[in-house]
């Protein structure tokens, strides 16, 4: 008999931080909302770092990925942990969803299913094509390059003719070790920002607008980006739900990032199914939707 029904997963920095700043306090608040919502449903809930060496993962029936935001910096270690632990406990979202969504090649799958996406050219590791050659092939002259596996704008660069050689030199070693992706720069980002829509159990909950600081294109708060409440339009919600329905299976939770593309049409930039920030602090009752979706997945597994 497992000791816990669910472990809310974080990373070691956020287990018991001393004197947390506002960023870390938001993490503690939101993980707390999720934990409390699950406990209200009668579940036994703990909170642990995925890399905790002293916890026996056989003691929990399920693991809920939440704020394990060091995984892309420790990917080989994390992925090995995932494969090992998946033999003993259920993952929410599932191991199949994780394996599909952890690499941004999933964007190609969405595109094939008719979901509007930002145009993307994937660059396999050790590619023989230079960035200059790739720009000539695509016809793009103003782009963004980033790893196919990553987050928080890790190794993300805006490229123009002026800095192309500099970026290529900076990424040369990294591009021998991992896949990258190239996308045309979307001019709506500096002016209008990126919208994130939260979906739980296939039901739309709420949305926020992320805006980059003046002179930047990265909307993440790590780079000075700001977050604002957003009243999603019907068209935005419809696109988010279309993206979620295109997943290999219905996820318990999803964050769909969308923006206007360079033709002025809405398009999906990312579909986050592993450990996305879900901004429960903007709508605390959405944690109850998360709890309902988690229980539904646990019930399906039990059947």
């Amino acid at each position: 008999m497992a000791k816990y029904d669910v472990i809310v997963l974080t990373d070691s920095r956020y287990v018991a931080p001393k004197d947390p700043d506002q960023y870390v306090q938001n993490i503690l608040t939101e993980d707390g909302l999720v934990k409390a919502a699950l406990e209200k449903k009668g579940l036994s809930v703990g909170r642990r770092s995925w890399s905790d060496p002293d916890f026996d993962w056989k003691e929990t029936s399920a693991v809920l990925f939440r704020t394990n935001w060091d995984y892309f910096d420790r990917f080989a270690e994390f992925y090995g942990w995932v494969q090992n632990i998946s033999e003993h406990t259920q993952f929410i979202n599932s191991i199949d969803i994780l394996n599909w969504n952890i690499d941004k090649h999933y964007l190609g799958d969405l595109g094939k299913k008719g979901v509007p996406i930002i145009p993307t050219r994937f660059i396999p590791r050790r590619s023989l094509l230079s960035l200059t050659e790739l720009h000539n092939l695509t016809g793009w002259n103003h782009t963004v390059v980033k790893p196919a596996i990553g987050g928080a704008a890790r190794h993300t660069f805006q490229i123009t003719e002026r800095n192309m050689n500099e970026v290529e030199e900076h990424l040369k070693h990294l591009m021998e070790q991992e896949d990258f992706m190239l996308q045309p720069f979307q001019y709506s980002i500096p002016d209008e920002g990126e919208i994130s829509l939260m979906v739980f159990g296939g039901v739309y909950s709420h949305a926020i607008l992320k805006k980059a600081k003046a002179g930047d294109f990265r909307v993440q708060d790590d780079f000075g980006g700001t977050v604002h409440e957003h009243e999603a339009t019907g068209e935005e919600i419809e696109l988010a739900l279309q993206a979620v329905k295109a997943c290999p299976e219905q996820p318990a939770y999803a964050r769909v990032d969308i923006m206007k593309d360079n033709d002025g049409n809405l398009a999906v930039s990312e579909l986050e199914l592993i450990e996305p920030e879900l901004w429960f602090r903007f709508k605390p009752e959405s944690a109850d939707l998360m709890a309902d979706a988690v229980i539904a997945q646990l019930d399906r597994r039990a059947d």
Side-chain angles (χ1 to χ4, degrees):
M1 188 74 178
K3 181 178 178 180
Y4 297 99
D5 295 308
V6 179
I7 289 292
V8 175
L9 205 66
T10 186
D11 75 46
S12 58
R13 296 170 296 176
Y14 310 135
V15 173
K18 296 180 181 179
D19 301 319
D21 59 17
Q22 189 58 55
Y23 176 85
V24 176
Q25 187 55 56
N26 287 339
I27 292 170
L28 300 177
T29 297
E30 300 208 352
D31 278 1
L33 287 169
V34 171
K35 185 173 184 291
L38 291 167
E39 289 173 337
K40 279 195 301 183
K41 302 293 183 180
L43 300 182
S44 174
V45 187
R47 181 173 180 267
R48 296 276 180 169
S49 166
W50 67 270
S51 58
D52 187 335
D54 299 319
F55 185 69
D56 182 356
W57 294 94
K58 294 177 183 178
E59 292 188 355
T60 183
S61 297
V63 169
L64 175 62
F65 293 98
R66 280 307 316 123
T67 52
N68 47 300
W69 293 342
D70 59 348
Y71 85 88
F72 41 78
D73 293 320
R74 305 168 62 182
F75 182 73
E77 181 184 357
F78 173 76
Y79 198 66
W81 175 85
V82 163
Q83 302 310 311
N84 181 44
I85 301 307
S86 65
E87 298 178 6
H88 309 297
T89 188
Q90 181 180 358
F91 284 165
I92 303 174
N93 287 315
S94 74
I95 182 68
D96 292 334
I97 283 283
L98 183 147
N99 285 330
W100 179 73
N101 188 242
I102 206 164
D103 188 311
K104 292 182 178 63
H105 280 82
Y106 71 78
L107 287 169
D109 295 337
L110 294 181
K112 291 174 184 176
K113 292 186 176 182
V115 178
I117 62 169
I118 300 301
T120 304
R121 172 78 181 238
F122 287 98
I123 310 170
R125 67 196 70 187
R126 296 181 293 278
S127 172
L128 298 178
L129 294 174
S130 67
L131 287 178
T132 299
E133 290 170 323
L134 285 166
H135 282 74
N136 289 336
L137 284 170
T138 59
W140 303 333
N141 55 24
H142 187 183
T143 61
V144 172
V145 65
K146 56 187 174 182
I149 296 175
R154 180 179 74 97
H155 302 320
T156 298
F157 294 90
Q158 183 179 175
I159 301 176
T160 64
E161 291 181 359
R162 295 179 60 182
N163 72 342
M164 192 173 303
N165 292 336
E166 178 185 346
V167 173
E168 182 141 45
E169 185 61 30
H170 182 85
L171 293 179
K172 187 175 182 179
H173 177 65
L174 294 169
M175 294 178 80
E176 292 178 354
Q177 301 177 41
E178 54 184 308
D179 297 345
F180 273 71
M181 54 193 287
L182 187 71
Q183 297 176 318
F185 186 83
Q186 303 301 303
Y187 293 100
S188 67
I189 284 290
D191 296 330
E192 301 180 42
E194 181 180 58
I195 299 166
S196 291
L197 298 98
M198 274 51 75
V199 178
F200 301 102
V203 177
Y204 166 73
S205 170
H206 61 290
I208 59 95
L209 172 67
K210 298 175 289 186
K211 301 203 74 173
K213 72 176 183 180
D216 207 331
F217 69 100
R218 295 165 297 188
V219 297
Q220 292 83 0
D221 49 13
D222 311 62
F223 300 97
T226 53
V227 178
H228 311 268
E229 293 188 54
H230 178 74
E231 189 69 34
T233 67
E235 184 182 6
E236 291 164 353
I237 295 171
E238 183 180 355
L239 176 55
L241 295 178
Q242 180 188 2
V244 172
K245 288 177 183 176
C247 295
E249 61 184 61
Q250 179 172 288
Y253 57 88
R255 190 186 89 204
V256 188
D257 294 341
I258 66 174
M259 62 178 70
K260 284 185 181 177
D261 65 18
N262 290 337
D263 294 320
N265 300 314
L266 290 176
V268 172
S269 53
E270 291 198 27
L271 173 59
E272 298 279 358
L273 305 176
I274 302 173
E275 37 55 74
E277 185 168 9
L278 296 170
W279 289 283
F280 292 107
R281 63 188 181 274
F282 281 78
K283 189 177 180 182
E285 61 268 31
S286 63
D288 294 318
L289 292 177
M290 164 75 98
D292 288 337
V294 168
I295 288 173
Q297 283 216 359
L298 292 174
D299 288 345
R300 281 199 297 271
R301 178 66 178 266
D303 292 340

